[in-house]
Structures are given as structure tokens and as C-alpha cells.
Amino acid sequence: MVKKRKILIVEDEATLQKAMQDLLTGENYKVLSALDGETGFNLAVKEKPDLILLDLILPKKDGFETLTDLKQNKQTKNIPVIVLTNLEGTTDIQKVLDLGVAAYLVKINYSLDDILEKIKEILK
Amino acid sequence: MILCDKIFADFNFSEQCRKYHISLWRCPSFLFLVMGILTMVSMIGTHILAIRYDNPFIAVLSVSLVAIIIFTIGNIIIHAVESVNSASHMKTEFISIASHQLRAPLASILWSLNILEKKGGNASIRKKYIELLQENNQRMIKLVNTLLDVSRIEQGILDFHPMVVNLEKIVRRTIKELAPLAIASNIKINFTVLNNIPNLFVDENKIQIVIQNLINNAIKYTKGKGAVKITLRNYEDKIIFSVTDNGIGIPEYQQKKVFSKFFRSDNVMKHQTEGSGLGLYISKAIVEANSGKIYFESIQGEETTFWVELPKTQQRAGRL
């Protein structure tokens, strides 16, 4: 039996969380969810997902700080991260790219199918 | 003709500064013109004085006086240019922040529609996502209305319709509306009325917005089990409404900015990312337009109290 790939979604917006969960569950992924950066980081360390979808504006610990911690932790530093955000300032983009991410996607510009395609491309 | 139009446009100071809500006497281009005219007049004046009075001291005095006047106008111009730049920057920032805030519900609507396209055949999924679409649609409408209010406040054209109102009724109604949120947040609301509260002559809908903002904030920013204490008091020539919570408080170094547009304190962002940061800005504008005062005290991690004072003077004028 093929093991399901695990994807962690760190997103505080309920509708977006739900939509991503429904999409990915329907595509036979195992989905883990966190509503804030701190929970997201702890879940990543515990579960070691195959991919992380990370928002940047998050309560408790924002996405920038969470990403830094993920990249500094031995257990999570090699997990590919797709940043999914509405921030599109060049400073924000550069800051995140410097930390090392698989992709930086501005939510409003991507349909769920586009995001799914990106996920499959990275997990190949 | 085009050249004339251009010259006219260049000298159309009121048009230039009106878009940034800066008065003519603080408009840089107008002040430059005034300075130029003053310089020419003072040079001619100094020349006449020097010819007429054979005393060099008078010439020196008049030149010094002119220099002081020009220096003062120059200083005003620098501040005026800073105001224009600041207003322009604020406008850009406002548009940038407003656009960003609208993106969250827009993305939610986009992805909900994507799911409905793929899985809309399933009745329970369809029902759930239609609810989410309605919720996010309402969110966008609310945000747009808030932004329009902010724009009207800045232009000084926010509509007010004062009438005789009972403030106690407004507070009780607002508490009832926010009861589900308070229960969900494990917050107990205590409301006390001290002395008989007379009717006031204020804009009922706008004052309700203020009361709602303050109570909503008190509930939102109290984490875990907590209490919100609301008091309405008849005191001397005013009615005082206050809301106290034992929530996260406002850091001292940020308290000066509490009534600024889009302000959300650092510790709030740590707990809750949703919120426009416009509620207190709008509340202050409304209270002051009703001749009132709004102020607060806050200790980070302990307690925050907001007070709103509204004068009874209109009531005393016999508007009942």
C-alpha cells in the first residue's frame, strides 16, 4: 500500500484552511493543520511532513519567524516550504527567498488547481 | 492656449492643496509665491528707505526684518512640504493597506468557488461553501464600508444625523448583540448604570458604532476566562461611558498611536491577525464630531479602560 504524502497547512484564515484541506484530502494527501506559527512549527517537528504550506501573517509566531525556525531545526530544515500569502512587497519576497523556500505564491493570483500543480511538482 | 492653461494650472493653488486637505496658508506653492512677492516688495521698500533716510541703520534694520520674515515663511514652507509629502504618503499607504485587507476575503471567495466547481455536486460541501462565500462577502462589504467611513472622515464629510437618544438603551442593545461572542470567548459582561441617564442629542447609529467597537475590542483582546466591566454614569454636565477589560493591554511605547488609522499593537498581532485597525480611528472621529471626548488607560498584560464622554448640553438646550 502506497503511503500517503503528508502536507502541513499553517494558515489562520478559516475558509482558506478548509478549502486547502478539502482539496488535498480529495487528492489523497494526509493533511495536518495549524492556525498559528507556533503550533505549525511544533507540528512540523513532531510529524515531519513531506511539504509545508505556510502563510506569513499568523498569530503567536508569524510566518517569517516560523520559517526561520524551520530552517534552523535539524529535523525540519529539509522539508520543502511553499509560502502562501497575500503580501507581495519585494522586501517580503526577498526576505523569504533568502531563508530558502520552494515557492512564494500570492494567494489571490493562484487558483487551487494552480497550487495543487505546484505541490505535485515539488513533491515529484 | 495650452501654455496659458498650464500656467493657470501651476497657479491654481487651491486645487493643488485641496486634494491633500491642506489650507491655502499652508500650501507650499502658494507660500513660495507669497515669499517671492514679499522679497520683491521688501527690496523696493528697502531701496526707498535707504534713499529717503540718510541713516544706514534704518536700511540694516529693514533688511534684517525682511530676512526674519523670509526665514519664517521658509520654515513654514518646509513644514508645508512635509505635510504634503506626508499626506501623499498616507494616501498611498492607505490604498496599499486597504487593498491588502481586501485580499484575504477575496482569496477566500476565489478558493471557495474553486471547491464548488470541483465538488459542488456534494450537497453538504455545497451548503458549507455557500455559507463561507456569504460570510466572506459580508466581510468585504463591512471592510469597504469602514474604508468609505475613513475616507469621509478625512474629507470632513461624514454624515451625522443627531436625534434624541437614550444611551442606556443603545448600550444594552449592543451588549445583547455581542452576547454570543462574549459567551464563545468565555467572557462575562457586567453592566452598571450610575444615576439616572438623561436622553442625549447625538447620532444614534454612529454612537452605537463607537460603543460596539469598544465592547468588541474588550471581548476580543481578553484571552481565556475574563470579565468586561461596562459603566454608564451621569456626571456633572456629561454622560460617561466606560469599558474595562482584563486583557492583553496596550504596550506603553505604542499608546500614542492607538487612535491612528490601521494601528494594531504588536501584542494584538501576536494574538489575532484579523482586524482592520480602523475601529478606534473612526470611534474618535465620531465622538469628537458629537462634541465628546474619548481616552484610555492601559497596563500591558493587565487591564485597559476606555472612556467616552458626551456632553449633556444639547439636552439642556431643550431639544427634547
Side-chain angles (χ1 to χ4, degrees), chain A residues 72-90:
Chain A
Q72 285 176 352
N73 185 294
K74 266 188 281 195
Q75 296 174 57
T76 56
K77 66 181 185 180
N78 294 320
I79 301 174
V81 176
I82 295 178
V83 162
L84 273 176
T85 175
N86 281 321
L87 294 176
E88 58 177 7
T90 45

Side-chain angles (χ1 to χ4, degrees), chain A residues 39-102:
Chain A
T39 309
F41 174 72
N42 293 336
L43 211 46
V45 170
K46 186 179 167 203
E47 297 285 338
K48 293 181 214 21
D50 297 293
L51 177 80
I52 300 172
L53 300 174
L54 177 68
D55 188 11
L56 291 180
I57 306 295
L58 294 163
K60 290 196 187 164
K61 196 195 288 202
D62 68 26
F64 297 100
E65 225 183 299
T66 307
L67 184 59
T68 308
D69 291 347
L70 287 168
K71 292 300 171 188
Q72 285 176 352
N73 185 294
K74 266 188 281 195
Q75 296 174 57
T76 56
K77 66 181 185 180
N78 294 320
I79 301 174
V81 176
I82 295 178
V83 162
L84 273 176
T85 175
N86 281 321
L87 294 176
E88 58 177 7
T90 45
T91 320
D92 296 319
I93 296 174
Q94 198 51 56
K95 203 166 146 185
V96 162
L97 292 176
D98 289 344
L99 289 167
V101 291

Side-chain angles (χ1 to χ4, degrees), chain B residues 45-63:
Chain B
T46 306
H47 176 71
I48 293 169
L49 280 172
I51 292 171
R52 198 175 172 149
Y53 297 99
D54 207 16
N55 185 346
F57 177 72
I58 290 173
V60 165
L61 189 65
S62 76
V63 167

